[in-house]
Amino acid sequence: MHLLGLLARILSLMCPHATDAATPMTGDSCSLCSPALDDLGIRLNDGRATLRVWSSDASSVELVIFDETDLDWETAQLELEQRADGVWEITTDLLQPGTRYALRADGPHNAGSTFNPETLLLDPYARGLAQGDGYEEWRSVVIEDGFDWGGIAKPRTPMDRTVIYEGHVKGLTKRHPDVPPKLHGTYAGLAHPAMIEHFHRLGVTAVELLPVHAFASEPRLLERGLTNYWGYNTLNFFTPHAAYATEDARKAGPEAVLAEFKGMVKLLHQAGLEVILDVVYNHTNEEGIGGPRTSLRGIDNARYYRQQPDGAYIDTTGCGNTLNTATDAAARLVLDSLRYWANEMQIDGFRFDLATALGRDASNAYTPDHPLLQAIRTDPALEGTKLIAEPWDVGLGGWQTGNFPSGWSEWNDRYRDRVRNFWLSDIDYARRASAPTGIGGFANRLAGSANTYSDERGPLASVNFVTSHDGFTLHDLVAYDVKHNEANGEDNRDGADLNRSFNHGAEGPTDDPAILTARRKAMRNLLGTLLLSAGVPMLTAGDEVGRTQRGNNNAYCQDSALSWLSWDHEPWQQDLLAHASLLTRLRAENPALRPVKFARLGEHIPNASVMDWFDQTGDTMDAEQWNDPRNRTLQYVAASTPDTESFNRVLLMVHGTEAPIDVRLPEVEGVTRYVSLWSSADERPSDVETVHQPGDVIALPGTSMRLFRAE
C-alpha cells in the first residue's frame, strides 16, 4: 500500500484530530479520518493503477485518456464505478507513468450544482499537469514518485532560532549575475551556491516561497496583457508550478519538474536552510460562477465551495469563491495535500494564505476549534512542521489575529502597524504638531505582543513583520506617502490606501542629502526593531538592500524588473545589508532576544526573558510614562532564563523623536558594564565594541536605537 494511504488508514483508527472542544463535521467520530476518503487520486500497483475520485452529487464520472503528444486526442473513455460515501473508482492498466488524463462528471442540475458532462476536469489529487493550447486546456499526468534524498534530513530549526526570508522563486534569481542564465528564475537557480551564500551571509534560516502550487493567471489579467506574478490563484494543490522549472525540465515533462523541485529542497536542506511554502487553500482559480471550470466546480460544486441556498457563492476571500472546509472531502483535500508536501516533498512549514477561511464552520463562522485547524496541528504526518496563519480573510468576522489554536503561529499585523506608526507616521505627524502616542504600545510589540497571544502560546506565536510581498517594500515605506499602482491598469484603485508610511519630505526619488540620510536611518530602525523583537522575524526579500518597487504597493501582476530583485547594489545598499547581517548574528548570539515563553512576575519560567524597563534617566519606568506622548524614549534590560544555552543579558535603547537626547545607563543588579553591539545611527556597522559603565550618559541622535550586551 502507498505510504500516505497506509498512514491515512492508521489515522482513521487512532483519530488523533479529535479534541474535547472540536466538534466533528459529521457523524460521531472525526470525519477527517474516514477511510472512505483514503487513497484519492492515482495509486500505482504492479503495472496497473487505481483512480479514486470523490463526488457525492455526481450521477456518473468518466476517465478520459489522451495521446502522449496531442492533448486533444482522446484515446479511451472509461466509466468509474460508484463506491460508498461518494467515492468513484476504477482500476486499469491504461494509467501508466506519464499518461495524460482528465475527468468528466455528470449530475443533477439544481441550485448549487454545475455539472457538465462535456467539460474536461483535472483530478484534484493529480501529482503532475500538462497544459494544452487554451487557458483551460489542462490535463492531469500520472506520476511515479521517486527521489534519492541522499540521507539529507530536514534541518528542524527551533522556532526561537528561526529567521524567515519571504521571497518569490522567479524574482529572487531572475537578475542574479552569478546564477547561470539558464537557471534564472527557477527552482534550480534558487538552490545555486550564489543564493545559498547570500542566505548564509544574511543569516536567515528559512526561505518562505510565494505560492509554488500550480496556478493560473486570471482571464481579466491576460486580457490586459498582464499575468498573476504572485501566484495566489491555485489550479492544483499537489503539483509544483512548472513555469519555475528550467527549460530542460519543462521539456522533459512533469516528473522532471518534480525532480527539480525536490533537488532544490535537498540542496537548501544540505545548507541548513528550511523551506516554507505560502499555500493557498482558501480558494481556487475557478473564481465565481462563470469563471474557469477546471476541476472542483465540475466535480462537485455544491460540496467543494461555500454557497447560499440559491447557489450564489459565499466569498470570504475576495477571489470569487471560498473552499468549503466544513465538508469532509474539502477539508481532507487540504490535509492530504499538506501531508504530501511535508513528507514526499520534504517541506518544513506552511504559511496559510487567508487562513481564517479554513477555520469557518458550516454556518460560515470562524472557530479556532475547527476540525481542520485542529487536524493540521495534531496530525502525526505533520509533526514538527511549522504552521503559520495569515489570520484574516475578507468575510464577516474575518480578522482573527491572536485567535488561532496553540501550535499555530500567526502573521502579526498589530506588530506591523505599531512599528510603522512609531518610526514613520508618528514622526510625520510630530513634524506638524507633536507625536500622537507614547512608547507603551511599541514596547509591548518589542517584547512579544503579550496582549495579543496567551501565555500558553507565548511570543513565538507572533511572526513579526514590517513588510511582506503585499504592500510597500522597506525602501518605499520611507520614500512614499501614497501608493503608485498605475502600472497595474486599475487606475490606482487597487492596493491598500493606509500604509503608515512617511516619505521624509519628498515623494519618491530625491537628491536631497538630508532626506536620503533620514530615510536610510528609518530603514535601519525598522530592521533593528524587527530583528531584535521577541517573536519570529520575517524579512521580505530585497529589504536587506533597500529594494524599491517605485511606490507600487500591489505588484501582484508585475512580472518584470519592477518585482525582480536587483543584485547591483550601491554603497548605501551594501551598508544596509551589513546592518541586517549583523542584526541576525546578534539575535542568534543573544538568547535574551528570542524568548520561547513569556516571563511572569515572581516566577522562574525556563526559556523566558525577564525584562526590566527604564526611562532615559536610568530610573524604572512608571505607569504614567508608558502612554505619555511626550515620552518616546526607553531602555529595557532582558535577561534570559535558558535551560540549554548560557545565561545572557542585553540592553536595548529606543528613542522615537527627531531631537537628540542624553540617556543614562541604568543601575541593574549583577551588571558591571555594558558592551556596545549595534547602533542604528551608524551608516555602516562599527566593528568597535565600546565599553560603558552603569550610570554613564550616552548621547542618542534623534530617532535611533542602540544595543548593548550587559555583563
Side-chain angles (χ1 to χ4, degrees), residues 48-70:
R48 309 189 79 199
T50 297
L51 168 65
R52 285 165 54 85
V53 178
W54 183 87
S55 176
S56 68
D57 286 354
S59 58
S60 66
V61 178
E62 183 182 54
L63 167 66
V64 183
I65 307 293
F66 294 89
D67 180 74
E68 183 177 348
T69 57
D70 185 348

Side-chain angles (χ1 to χ4, degrees), residues 173 187 329 389 511 575:
T173 65
Y187 299 123
D511 295 326
D575 291 342

Side-chain angles (χ1 to χ4, degrees), residues 469-492:
H469 66 276
D470 187 2
F472 278 148
T473 65
L474 183 70
H475 172 277
D476 292 356
L477 269 182
V478 306
Y480 294 90
D481 279 352
V482 296
K483 65 185 181 183
H484 296 269
N485 297 355
E486 291 80 5
N488 296 352
E490 299 179 40
D491 298 321
N492 208 34

Side-chain angles (χ1 to χ4, degrees), residues 213-225:
H213 288 175
F215 64 86
S217 292
E218 296 87 338
R220 62 179 177 81
L221 288 178
L222 297 174
E223 290 170 0
R224 297 206 303 267

Side-chain angles (χ1 to χ4, degrees), residues 638-653:
S640 68
T641 56
D643 59 4
T644 57
E645 299 182 80
S646 299
F647 173 75
N648 170 245
R649 186 157 39 190
V650 297
L651 165 68
L652 183 65
M653 289 181 177

Side-chain angles (χ1 to χ4, degrees), residues 21 27 68 84 92 147 199 223 226 238 244 252 262 267 302 459 503 572 605 654 664 683 700:
E68 183 177 348
T92 174
F147 184 79
F199 299 145
E223 290 170 0
L226 299 171
F238 289 83
Y244 296 155
K262 291 181 177 180
L267 288 172
N503 67 19
W572 72 266
I605 307 295
V654 177
R664 187 178 300 277
E683 285 283 353
L700 275 184

Side-chain angles (χ1 to χ4, degrees), residues 163-412:
V163 179
I164 299 171
Y165 187 73
E166 187 207 35
H168 188 283
V169 170
K170 183 175 183 178
L172 283 168
T173 65
K174 182 64 176 175
R175 304 169 71 188
H176 200 302
D178 297 328
V179 173
K182 68 177 182 179
L183 301 186
H184 280 170
T186 68
Y187 299 123
L190 187 62
H192 187 272
M195 292 303 302
I196 290 174
E197 179 184 4
H198 179 71
F199 299 145
H200 283 167
R201 177 186 178 188
L202 182 55
V204 298
T205 68
V207 180
E208 180 178 306
L209 300 177
L210 268 64
V212 298
H213 288 175
F215 64 86
S217 292
E218 296 87 338
R220 62 179 177 81
L221 288 178
L222 297 174
E223 290 170 0
R224 297 206 303 267
L226 299 171
T227 60
N228 188 320
Y229 173 66
W230 285 351
Y232 292 87
N233 200 43
T234 308
L235 182 69
N236 175 270
F237 295 137
F238 289 83
T239 307
H241 193 58
Y244 296 155
T246 57
E247 183 179 1
D248 288 346
R250 296 197 305 272
K251 287 180 178 178
E255 287 203 359
V257 171
L258 189 65
E260 183 176 321
F261 182 93
K262 291 181 177 180
M264 173 197 72
V265 175
K266 179 180 177 179
L267 288 172
L268 292 174
H269 282 177
Q270 191 172 29
L273 295 160
E274 293 188 313
V275 181
I276 298 172
L277 299 186
D278 193 334
V279 288
V280 188
Y281 293 116
N282 56 79
H283 76 282
T284 74
N285 75 298
E286 293 185 308
E287 302 183 15
I289 293 293
R293 181 196 301 264
T294 53
S295 185
L296 302 181
R297 176 173 291 140
I299 291 173
D300 200 330
N301 181 68
R303 306 300 177 187
Y304 275 116
Y305 293 121
R306 294 187 180 274
Q307 300 175 31
Q308 302 284 5
D310 63 358
Y313 277 3
I314 298 172
D315 179 13
T316 72
T317 68
C319 299
N321 65 65
T322 305
L323 195 69
N324 187 6
T325 54
T327 64
D328 302 348
R332 181 64 177 270
L333 175 65
V334 173
L335 189 61
D336 285 344
S337 172
L338 292 170
R339 291 169 173 172
Y340 176 74
W341 289 92
N343 292 283
E344 296 201 26
M345 308 290 269
Q346 288 290 287
I347 294 302
D348 303 278
F350 303 94
R351 178 267 188 190
F352 294 80
D353 181 66
L354 301 181
T356 297
L358 302 182
R360 291 184 178 272
D361 60 19
S363 67
N364 298 304
Y366 171 80
T367 169
D369 296 325
H370 191 286
L372 178 58
L373 299 184
Q374 297 293 343
I376 291 171
R377 75 177 184 88
T378 60
D379 196 311
L382 300 177
E383 184 178 1
T385 301
K386 291 178 169 65
L387 307 173
I388 302 169
E390 183 184 37
W392 52 79
D393 66 12
V394 301
L396 186 65
W399 187 69
Q400 294 293 334
T401 304
N403 199 27
F404 270 69
S406 294
W408 286 76
S409 297
E410 303 171 23
W411 272 25
N412 189 347

